[in-house]
Amino acid sequence: MQVRETGLPGVVLIQPRVFRDARGFFLETYHADRYAAAGIAGPFVQDNHSRSQRHTLRGLHFQWRRPQGKLVRVIEGEIYDVAVDIRPDSPSFGRWVGATLSAESHLQIYVPPGFAHGFCVTSEVAQVEYKCTDVYDPEGDGGIRWDDPDLNIAWPTTTPVLSARDQQHPGFLARFGKPPTGPGTNLD
């Protein structure tokens, strides 16, 4: 497997080794020792799976009482995935990275605790699976407005399909009381 730094501490892209032949392909989607050697120690305690239509935008979500690290992969279709540093004392506070993940590329992203996370579906349909380092805590759930101008995320849609909850999130400055320390980066 190959691990690529993203410019945000702890956020990495993982390209698993894929074995292809006439039958199809095989890959390890997670191997505790190999991922730990890459700085992704876990433990993972919850797995989530979503299926969404084109232009669905889920996020930007975070857990403040029980922050979750997330190992994200796509098993059908394609998404644009975003991580935002929300650690108040971080030198990269408010900066984001975005990358395209697809079932075809098998590329994964690890988003550590202390980051908001979201994605937008760029294919007709996408199925996303992700492993979490802590269980979901509805009382510690938070979010940031997807189109916040202070973040200026380069989402691949201007007309996303949003949940009622995601339509109500405050902006970054309103949520955290200070602006981002710098711009984000599109890794594509």
Side-chain angles (χ1 to χ4, degrees):
M1 98 182 167
Q2 296 176 337
V3 179
R4 186 172 120 202
E5 300 293 326
T6 64
L8 291 182
V11 178
V12 293
L13 293 171
I14 301 113
Q15 183 65 68
R17 190 165 172 208
V18 180
F19 300 91
R20 298 179 191 277
D21 63 22
R23 300 168 296 169
F25 68 85
F26 171 84
L27 72 143
E28 290 179 342
T29 61
Y30 177 72
H31 184 287
D33 291 342
R34 288 189 186 109
Y35 281 65
I40 304 168
F44 292 102
V45 298
Q46 178 177 320
D47 285 1
N48 297 331
H49 182 154
S50 70
R51 183 179 191 277
S52 308
Q53 65 183 356
R54 184 185 302 275
H55 299 294
T56 295
L57 197 152
R58 296 180 182 267
L60 296 160
H61 303 148
F62 61 90
Q63 294 279 294
W64 57 269
R65 281 198 328 195
R66 297 180 77 166
Q68 296 176 311
K70 297 176 181 177
L71 179 61
V72 183
R73 70 189 189 102
V74 176
I75 62 169
E76 177 187 12
E78 182 180 273
I79 65 171
Y80 184 70
D81 197 273
V82 172
V84 181
D85 189 342
I86 60 169
R87 300 167 301 160
D89 296 329
S90 170
S92 57
F93 176 72
R95 293 185 185 169
W96 59 270
V97 293
T100 299
L101 309 180
S102 71
E104 185 177 311
S105 74
H106 303 287
L107 190 63
Q108 301 173 332
I109 190 168
Y110 179 67
V111 180
F115 286 75
H117 175 254
F119 65 86
C120 181
V121 177
T122 56
S123 55
E124 196 62 35
V125 170
Q127 291 192 59
V128 178
E129 291 187 340
Y130 53 101
K131 305 176 94 42
C132 300
T133 59
D134 206 339
V135 295
Y136 174 71
D137 173 16
E139 300 300 317
D141 195 37
I144 305 165
R145 187 171 174 82
W146 73 277
D147 62 349
D148 183 277
D150 289 326
L151 294 176
N152 196 27
I153 296 171
W155 293 108
T157 186
T158 56
T159 56
V161 178
L162 299 167
S163 69
R165 176 178 148 237
D166 286 348
Q167 293 175 34
Q168 304 300 316
H169 293 313
F172 191 86
L173 185 59
R175 169 69 73 189
F176 297 107
K178 60 183 184 177
T181 59
T185 304
N186 180 347
L187 299 173
D188 290 342

